[in-house]
Amino acid sequence: MIIIFEGLDRTGKDTQIRLLTQTFYPNKMFHIVHYSGFHKESLTPKQEKEISRTFSKEMLLFLTENKKFNIICNRSYLGEYVYAPLYRKYDPD
């Protein structure tokens, strides 16, 4: 099972994940993956793109290779395409 929670920072994603796992799946183990942006100030644009590409590939590989596990993604790489320009003020492309 793969569940992805999307939303802006500080909107309750962690709380909802905790409540979901405690209430509906108390006897299941989940692997929780938290995607968080990186600090643009310390990287060149080329480094930003390389980190984004690498993380995207690794996340998709992790999800496709671990189908037998229960995984919750606290945000996904795709969410950064929406939130990064609006909220974090950097271009995730």
Side-chain angles (χ1 to χ4, degrees), residues 2-57:
I2 297 173
I3 301 171
I4 299 175
F5 278 79
E6 289 287 351
L8 294 172
D9 291 348
R10 308 190 66 75
T11 57
K13 293 180 303 296
D14 288 311
T15 301
Q16 291 303 314
I17 290 168
R18 182 176 40 78
L19 292 171
L20 174 78
T21 56
Q22 288 174 351
T23 305
F24 296 106
Y25 303 104
N27 299 321
K28 286 194 178 203
M29 185 165 116
F30 282 90
H31 301 275
I32 299 176
V33 179
H34 187 145
Y35 178 83
S36 184
F38 47 85
H39 295 287
K40 179 180 178 179
E41 302 83 31
S42 61
L43 302 171
T44 67
K46 185 177 179 179
Q47 289 171 319
E48 286 178 34
K49 287 184 180 186
E50 188 57 38
I51 288 171
S52 293
R53 282 188 194 112
T54 300
F55 186 84
S56 175
K57 288 176 188 176

Side-chain angles (χ1 to χ4, degrees), residues 4 6 35 56 59-60 75-83 92:
I4 299 175
E6 289 287 351
Y35 178 83
S56 175
M59 179 181 235
L60 290 173
R75 211 179 263 139
S76 69
Y77 180 76
L78 296 175
E80 281 298 293
Y81 278 102
V82 175
Y83 300 115

